[in-house]
Amino acid sequence: MRLNARRALVTGASRGIGRAIATAFAEQGADVAITARTLEALAEARAEVEALGRKCHAMAWDVSDVAVARERLLEAQEALGGLDIVVNNAGVHHLPDHAGSEADWDYVIDTNLKAVWFITGEAARLMRREGGAVVNVASDYAFRGGNSIYGVSKWGVRGLTRGLAQKWAGKGVRVNGIGPGPVATEMSNWHEGDPLERPNLPLGRLTLPEEVARVAVFLASDDASAVIGETIVLNSGNT
């Protein structure tokens, strides 16, 4: 298994991409700590990981509260017996244009961008002795831009991924990212039972969360040992 005996933290793991990543990591032999705003939201994801025979530690954490980032990372490290992988997946969407209040701006930027900076920094300091990997979930907006607060935040995640990768690569911590486009999740207004087909996309369908998760497994594994600062796009050919 590609992640055998690794210990991973996945934020925003109650559903969608985060839950698929947590499950994929468990399938590949990792123990997993998962977060969401409430413990109740994590019940099904935790059950999936444990059903695969892996340890799972659930934590209630709104990642925009960066004051407790080190505390939560240390909790995950203690619960799992170490920490080798951190996936910054937690994120929020917002308006499709530039409209929005200052409170909207703070809400999106704090969750999608500021949290990535603080969590990655704290994680790298914890993992640098033994080495590790950080995977930041951005968006294809990180490449095609946009005038929404969400687009700005994800453009920033790509930039942070490159910069933090340069900072930590020589200290044994690899930082990379994923740029999903339209994915079959509630965040993309897709619900169970809805069709996957999208004639406007070159691939003709939405990307599946499990497809994103497989790329996360690759980036977290030794197979990507020389991949530094990259953001891999999965968007059904949308850009």
Side-chain angles (χ1 to χ4, degrees):
M1 291 185 284
R2 299 169 82 178
L3 302 178
N4 193 39
R6 303 287 174 88
R7 288 75 52 98
L9 168 66
V10 182
T11 68
S14 62
R15 58 183 181 174
I17 291 173
R19 182 168 166 179
I21 290 174
T23 302
F25 279 10
E27 289 173 339
Q28 292 297 322
D31 294 326
V32 188
I34 55 178
T35 81
R37 285 188 172 88
T38 68
L39 287 176
E40 292 77 12
L42 292 166
E44 292 184 1
R46 181 175 186 174
E48 286 182 2
V49 171
E50 292 178 338
L52 292 165
R54 306 310 307 177
K55 183 184 297 184
C56 186
H57 179 68
M59 299 185 293
W61 181 19
D62 179 344
V63 297
S64 67
D65 183 4
V66 296
V68 299
R70 183 172 180 81
E71 178 184 334
R72 292 291 180 268
L73 287 161
L74 286 170
E75 180 181 340
Q77 185 181 54
E78 181 177 358
L80 301 179
L83 191 62
D84 309 295
I85 303 162
V86 171
V87 179
N88 287 305
N89 170 73
V92 292
H93 208 289
H94 198 59
L95 304 171
D97 56 36
H98 67 276
S101 67
E102 183 178 358
D104 294 329
W105 172 274
D106 291 342
Y107 172 62
V108 176
I109 296 298
D110 287 357
T111 304
N112 292 4
L113 184 58
K114 185 174 78 171
V116 172
W117 168 270
F118 282 94
I119 295 171
T120 300
E122 294 291 353
R125 281 184 278 274
L126 289 176
M127 295 191 295
R128 60 184 171 181
R129 290 185 180 180
E130 303 296 330
V134 176
V135 180
N136 297 324
V137 179
S139 164
D140 63 351
Y141 275 96
F143 291 86
R144 59 191 177 95
N147 64 350
S148 67
I149 304 171
Y150 176 81
V152 170
S153 73
K154 293 303 187 178
W155 187 279
V157 170
R158 179 188 173 204
L160 273 184
T161 298
R162 292 177 66 86
L164 293 172
Q166 292 174 333
K167 177 177 180 177
W168 292 106
K171 300 178 177 66
V173 179
R174 294 184 300 103
V175 183
N176 288 290
I178 304 174
V183 180
T185 65
E186 292 181 18
M187 194 170 181
S188 296
N189 295 317
W190 183 90
H191 300 277
E192 191 70 35
D194 291 347
L196 293 172
E197 292 75 16
R198 293 293 187 276
N200 60 309
L201 296 175
L203 186 60
R205 64 166 176 83
L206 296 171
T207 302
L208 300 175
E210 293 77 13
E211 292 173 312
V212 181
R214 286 196 288 271
V215 175
V217 168
F218 164 69
L219 290 174
S221 74
D222 291 340
D223 292 340
S225 57
V227 182
I228 306 293
E230 295 298 324
T231 299
I232 299 176
V233 175
L234 296 90
N235 68 355
S236 303
N238 194 38
T239 50

